[in-house]
Each structure stands twice: as C-alpha cells, then as structure tokens.
Amino acid sequence: MPVDPDKFREIFGSLPTAVAVVTAVGDDGDPCGLTMNTVTAVAKTPPLLLVCLDENSQTLQAIRHSRAFVVNFLAGNGSALADRFARKGRGKLAGFDWLPAPSGGGAPILAGHVLAHAECSVREEIRVGDHSVVIGLLDDGEAYDRPPLVYYRKSYSAWPAGEARPIPAGR
C-alpha cells in the first residue's frame, strides 16, 4: 500500500530543491504561472527538460494551448514571488514587470528575480497519475550570476547564505 499524500510531501520536502515558476500564455491571451520544484534536465542533445503539472492546473491548460512555456529558476530574492505564484487563481502577474519570451510563445520571463530562465517548446506530454509530465525542448534561455532560492522542509532560503523563511500556513 503506498504512503499517504502527507507522508509523500514530508519525504520529498526533505530534499533541498531549486524553486521555479513555470509560465505560459493561455487561449485568452492572459499569462499565467505556478511555483514548482519538479523541474529536471532530461537530455543535453537535444536539450530537454521536464516539468510536472497537476491535471487541473490552469498553467497546464495554457501550455497545451500555446505549446510553449518558460521555466523561471528563482534567485534568492524571489521568495515573495514564489508565494505569489503558489496560490491558485488568476492575476498573479498584476502589477509585476516581466518580459515576453521570444522563443517561449510570449510566456513571462520574470527577469529581475531569476538566476536562469529556459524558453521551451513542448516536445511531449505524458499523463502519470493526477499529473502530466511535460517535456520541453530548450529553444533559448539565459543564466545570471545570482544565488538560487532553495526550498527545504517547508521553508525558502537563499543559498548558500540566508535565513530560512517559513512558508505561510494553509499550503
């Protein structure tokens, strides 16, 4: 019998991971996105990565529509942004400056808050459980000299230095 969802989160919350915001543009032309830590390099040739999104995710629907997305790997100053994109609903980009990705279907690049971004086109989608694994071909991107934001046991921290900050309750 598999572990329950709380135990699953406890186990994987014990693994320090980078924090990313995946963005896309939906069929209504509105940009959307969500915070995640399930981003993994797949291959160097061709350059592929994968992201895992809940089947009910608005961002997954936007990726399916546009066939493109951007992975914004958050820098150490991005914890408030991670919180913003972790909540459900629309309007997460309201009042926030961003750049449309030339190679990512116009999906938002969160320029001042990333240590890297990857502009991707959808190569393949695989349904697994209540999520879809989306494999993206890296069409463009950039890396910046900034420290990463790290998630570990329900807290964010700028690595290698910085104070861990608890995530607000209810998430």
Side-chain angles (χ1 to χ4, degrees):
M1 177 162 243
V3 299
D4 64 52
D6 290 336
K7 178 65 78 176
F8 182 86
R9 280 190 288 279
E10 179 185 346
I11 291 167
F12 279 91
S14 296
L15 176 67
T17 59
V19 181
V21 171
V22 173
T23 58
V25 176
D27 60 357
D28 57 3
D30 284 342
C32 59
L34 57 81
T35 300
M36 69 166 40
N37 62 359
T38 51
V39 179
T40 303
V42 174
K44 187 170 61 174
T45 306
L48 300 171
L49 62 71
L50 68 77
V51 295
C52 300
L53 297 106
D54 187 292
E55 277 295 315
N56 297 317
S57 165
Q58 176 183 9
T59 304
L60 177 58
Q61 302 314 313
I63 290 170
R64 286 175 173 159
H65 165 75
S66 65
R67 306 296 297 161
F69 60 98
V70 171
V71 179
N72 294 276
F73 296 95
L74 296 184
N77 67 348
S79 61
L81 198 57
D83 285 342
R84 177 187 278 213
F85 280 89
R87 73 176 200 269
K88 296 207 182 280
R90 296 187 170 269
K92 296 175 190 176
L93 286 155
F96 185 79
D97 290 332
W98 55 275
L99 304 170
S103 299
I109 299 171
L110 310 175
H113 301 275
V114 299
L115 65 113
H117 77 271
E119 300 171 40
C120 302
S121 54
V122 174
R123 181 74 174 261
E124 189 173 347
E125 181 182 337
I126 305 161
R127 174 98 189 243
V128 181
D130 60 356
H131 280 60
S132 277
V133 177
V134 178
I135 298 173
L137 175 68
L138 276 74
D139 298 314
D140 203 356
E142 193 68 49
Y144 309 95
D145 188 21
R146 298 176 181 144
L149 183 66
V150 176
Y151 178 79
Y152 173 69
R153 292 194 172 168
K154 300 183 182 180
S155 293
Y156 295 123
S157 180
W159 184 85
E163 289 291 317
R165 184 182 64 74
I167 295 175
R171 290 232 287 261

